[in-house]
Amino acid sequence: MRYRIPLLGNPSMDVALRGEYIAAFGSACYMSEGPTPTFNCFYKEEDMTPKGKACTDAQRIAEVYGAAPYSKDYTCQPDGKGNYTLQVGPDPAINITITYEDAPLQSSLIEIKTVPTEVNGPYRNLVEVTPIKPDKGFYCSSGQVGADGTTMSQREWVLEVNRKAHGGEIHSDLAGFTWPCEDENCKPTTCTEKLVLKDPDDEETPRYDPDRAEVHHVVPRKDLRGCRWGTNAYKNAAVISARLNQHLKNKVPPEKEVTQINKVPAYTP
């Protein structure tokens, strides 16, 4: 349950306006999952204080939209029904309602040049035998039996498929990807993802080696509000270094990541 502020215009369809709200209000705003996605901004209860983010953002709705600004002389007031009202003009009748309601899951589609795009990574052809759910790791059964006779997890199966495709080596699915980082002297530099990664199942690979291969959720398990988001579907998996995984962790996938990962040919088990 979250508090929703009433936006002006139609940001669900208007990409430019959607961008304006995101720039102004940040991670509170997102497109919902479902057959009819909608764009709204939701806030936690602690944001509903008189000086809280929900009220201050609500006062800015009109100016972000490009209309006559709302008055900032008033604060949010409970309406006795679980919602809040905010007076936005000198007449007490001129107010908006901030409603307390179920906040839908964020859409897993990532906008690429304004086009909502599904993550469709290189493991998309692997057969799903376990329930696919948001905020679930790749630790459920893959249905595949390993060399030791035990059933492999999804993570183990993804790594094994990667090895088989590269003659026993593990290759990064985002080789060549660049991102801002710091060098050993803490100075800004650019990091580049290596092609060959260290095998996590090799006893000689240190547990915290930055070049160790990890199975990454392209759409993170949780969104920026800490709510359930990315699933354990194979199409959402990518093998990358621990170093890059740490950089991408808990972020909305950048356009260049989704574009690059979707271009990787599907692996054949």
Side-chain angles (χ1 to χ4, degrees):
M1 299 290 288
R2 293 288 189 274
Y3 289 95
R4 177 179 60 81
I5 62 175
L7 303 178
L8 295 176
N10 186 10
S12 299
M13 300 296 293
D14 188 331
V15 176
L17 180 58
R18 189 156 71 239
E20 293 291 337
Y21 281 125
I22 292 174
F25 305 149
S27 63
C29 307
Y30 63 93
M31 289 290 290
S32 69
E33 191 76 271
T36 308
T38 57
F39 181 86
N40 282 296
C41 302
F42 293 91
Y43 298 80
K44 297 180 181 179
E45 189 167 357
E46 53 263 36
D47 295 324
M48 287 305 309
T49 62
K51 299 293 184 179
K53 182 171 171 56
C55 288
T56 56
D57 282 1
Q59 290 173 332
R60 298 176 57 203
I61 291 170
E63 63 185 86
V64 173
Y65 174 64
Y70 290 155
S71 171
K72 295 182 173 61
D73 296 332
Y74 308 95
T75 60
C76 294
Q77 302 295 324
D79 69 355
K81 301 177 182 178
N83 305 315
Y84 281 80
T85 59
L86 175 65
Q87 190 171 332
V88 295
D91 184 343
I94 303 176
N95 59 70
I96 60 174
T97 300
I98 301 173
T99 56
Y100 189 58
E101 59 188 61
D102 285 328
L105 290 176
Q106 181 170 348
S107 171
S108 59
L109 300 179
I110 306 301
E111 290 194 2
I112 307 296
K113 293 181 172 54
T114 74
V115 178
T117 303
E118 180 183 27
V119 171
N120 205 24
Y123 305 93
R124 54 187 175 269
N125 287 349
L126 303 191
V127 178
E128 306 281 7
V129 299
T130 191
I132 304 304
K133 296 180 180 179
D135 191 25
K136 199 168 186 179
F138 295 111
Y139 293 101
C140 293
S141 171
S142 68
Q144 303 294 323
V145 177
D148 61 359
T150 63
T151 301
M152 290 187 286
S153 66
Q154 289 178 286
R155 169 191 170 277
E156 291 169 330
W157 180 225
V158 164
L159 290 172
E160 183 61 19
V161 167
N162 189 299
R163 283 191 201 95
K164 289 180 177 180
H166 303 114
E169 292 182 337
I170 293 182
H171 287 192
S172 173
D173 295 317
L174 284 174
F177 186 92
T178 59
W179 70 97
C181 60
E182 294 182 344
D183 63 19
E184 61 274 11
N185 297 315
C186 297
K187 293 183 178 181
T189 187
T190 298
C191 286
T192 302
E193 177 77 341
K194 296 179 179 179
L195 173 63
V196 180
L197 304 178
K198 294 182 180 179
D199 195 326
D201 292 341
D202 187 333
E203 293 182 357
E204 296 183 2
T205 301
R207 180 173 177 80
Y208 298 106
D209 191 308
D211 293 321
R212 176 189 175 103
E214 294 185 348
V215 179
H216 159 70
H217 286 73
V218 180
V219 177
R221 292 172 61 178
K222 293 186 181 295
D223 64 19
L224 298 181
R225 293 158 301 283
C227 299
R228 296 178 299 128
W229 194 19
T231 73
N232 59 319
Y234 283 123
K235 65 184 178 182
N236 193 40
V239 173
I240 61 175
S241 68
R243 189 196 322 266
L244 179 53
N245 201 11
Q246 184 61 35
H247 169 72
L248 295 172
K249 186 177 181 181
N250 298 330
K251 291 183 174 70
V252 174
E255 287 188 18
K256 69 175 185 177
E257 178 192 4
V258 177
T259 299
Q260 184 171 341
I261 206 69
N262 281 2
K263 288 181 179 179
V264 180
Y267 289 111
T268 301

